């Protein structure tokens, strides 16, 4: 029983990171119908820029804030330089652009930060809390709390603010939103900034646990994508639930089978969703008028 609880706590921790990445996917997908495979690189940048700023002497909270703001600005630049010029191109072309952006960011990060593995201190120390017969690190609570807080913040933003409703209107019908006066280019810019900032926050929160390097983004992107698909692409609640479910599956796989196979859980989830549940757990069936 103690082993099961320990595996579950570990799974929930990593699942919270996947949920944050999946929420980033969801924001971009809702605004543009594009799956942004550079989302994992935003997670990497959040951790790496925090390490760089902290090493340069900035206090850790300031270093984390700088990392989130810089990454959000890079998300805006990606939209302006890569996505907007290709507006009107097939969705597949836009997805390929995001893959190219991911490769470019990864290569630039290798040149700037090097190939070394980096980390920085945990926010609240390294003394674990005991829950029954299992333990959990204080930083894990930061990760889980961060995922839940971001979800609540996005829910309030989309349901209680005029700007958030403009984002939803753009996701439902871009042309109709333009006709009623919504500035859809600004909505796209905001969506990329939010998505990149959330990805960077995930990187900031998880780096003291897993450490970071220039090449961690690909794994986060694939697993965040799997979580978003499992929950229902475009559904924030589904992204949160999908992330936690995928994390728990990984934790149980690593604990009861082998840690060598835990990464396969994400690919099994993708295949399972594609074959048996194309709309995901919370996705809605759509119909096209012809």
């Amino acid at each position: 029983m103690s082993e099961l609880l320990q595996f579950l706590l570990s799974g929930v921790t990593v699942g919270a990171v996947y949920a944050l990445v999946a929420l980033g996917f969801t924001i971009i997908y809702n605004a543009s119908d594009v799956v942004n495979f550079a989302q994992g690189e935003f997670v990497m940048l959040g951790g790496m820029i925090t390490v760089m700023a902290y090493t340069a002497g900035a206090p850790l909270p300031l270093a984390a804030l700088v990392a989130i703001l810089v990454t959000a600005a890079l998300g805006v630049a990606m939209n302006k330089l890569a996505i907007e010029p290709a507006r009107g191109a097939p969705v597949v072309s836009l997805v390929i652009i995001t893959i190219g952006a991911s490769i470019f960011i990864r290569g630039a990060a290798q040149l700037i930060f090097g190939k070394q593995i980096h980390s920085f201190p945990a926010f609240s120390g390294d003394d674990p809390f005991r829950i029954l017969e299992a333990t959990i690190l204080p930083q894990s609570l930061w990760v889980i709390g961060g995922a839940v807080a971001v979800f609540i913040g996005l829910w309030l933003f989309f349901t209680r603010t005029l700007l958030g409703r403009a984002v939803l209107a753009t996701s439902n019908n871009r042309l109709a939103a333009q006709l009623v006066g919504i500035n859809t280019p600004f909505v796209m810019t905001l969506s990329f900034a939010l998505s990149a900032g959330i990805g960077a926050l995930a990187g900031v929160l998880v780096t003291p646990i897993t450490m970071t390097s220039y090449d961690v983004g690909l794994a986060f992107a694939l697993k965040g994508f799997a979580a978003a698909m499992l929950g229902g692409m475009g559904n924030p609640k589904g992204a949160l639930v999908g992330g936690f479910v995928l994390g728990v599956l990984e934790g149980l796989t690593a604990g009861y089978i082998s840690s060598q196979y835990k990464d396969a859980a994400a690919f099994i989830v993708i295949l399972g969703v594609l074959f048996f549940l194309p709309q995901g757990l919370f996705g809605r069936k759509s119909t096209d008028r012809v």
Side-chain angles (χ1 to χ4, degrees):
M1 184 64 185
S2 61
E3 287 185 352
L4 174 61
L5 182 57
Q6 189 65 62
F7 297 150
L8 289 175
L9 290 176
S10 299
V12 168
T13 300
V14 71
V17 180
Y18 299 158
L20 286 170
V21 180
L23 285 169
F25 273 110
T26 296
I27 293 172
I28 298 299
Y29 182 81
N30 281 341
S32 63
D33 289 329
V34 173
V35 178
N36 177 26
F37 282 105
Q39 188 65 32
E41 308 310 325
F42 296 150
V43 180
M44 177 271 295
L45 287 173
M48 294 293 263
I49 295 174
T50 302
V51 169
M52 184 177 66
Y54 181 72
T55 304
L60 186 55
L62 178 60
L65 179 61
V66 168
I68 293 171
L69 293 177
V70 170
T71 306
L74 290 174
V76 172
M78 176 182 166
N79 175 52
K80 293 293 186 183
L81 299 176
I83 302 299
E84 276 194 8
R87 179 57 57 195
V91 172
V92 173
S93 299
L94 295 175
V95 171
I96 292 173
I97 288 174
T98 68
I99 295 174
S102 172
I103 296 171
F104 174 80
I105 293 171
R106 193 180 313 132
Q110 179 181 352
L111 292 175
I112 295 171
F113 303 115
K115 297 182 179 180
Q116 297 85 359
I117 296 175
H118 302 276
S119 187
F120 51 83
F123 297 171
S124 305
D126 295 315
D127 296 329
F129 296 111
R130 180 166 293 277
I131 301 176
L132 298 179
E133 297 297 322
T135 59
I136 186 170
L137 293 172
Q139 191 65 31
S140 296
L141 300 179
W142 280 96
V143 176
I144 297 168
V148 174
V150 167
F151 172 76
I152 294 173
L154 287 176
W155 178 78
L156 292 174
F157 173 70
F158 286 127
T159 60
R160 303 296 176 87
T161 69
L162 188 61
L163 184 56
R165 292 179 180 180
V167 176
L168 292 178
T170 302
S171 68
N172 287 327
N173 192 315
R174 186 182 181 89
L175 178 59
Q178 289 176 325
L179 292 175
V180 298
I182 294 175
N183 187 346
T184 53
F186 174 76
V187 167
M188 281 292 298
T189 299
L190 175 66
S191 298
F192 269 88
L194 281 175
S195 177
I198 290 172
L201 175 63
V204 169
L205 293 174
V206 78
T207 294
I209 300 175
T210 63
M211 297 185 285
T212 189
S213 64
Y214 78 95
D215 59 351
V216 300
L218 179 60
F220 281 121
L222 290 175
K223 294 176 182 181
F225 176 62
M229 285 189 63
L230 176 61
M233 185 62 77
N235 189 305
K237 179 174 67 174
L240 185 73
V241 173
F244 282 119
V245 170
L246 180 60
V248 169
L249 285 175
E250 274 200 5
L252 295 178
T253 301
Y256 288 113
I257 301 178
S258 170
S259 59
Q260 294 179 343
Y261 298 113
K262 70 181 182 66
D263 291 334
F267 300 101
I268 293 173
V269 165
I270 291 175
L271 292 175
V273 170
L274 288 175
F275 281 121
F276 303 110
L277 201 65
Q279 303 299 325
L281 295 174
F282 298 96
R284 293 179 295 179
K285 292 183 178 180
S286 60
T287 57
D288 294 327
R289 179 178 296 176
V290 295

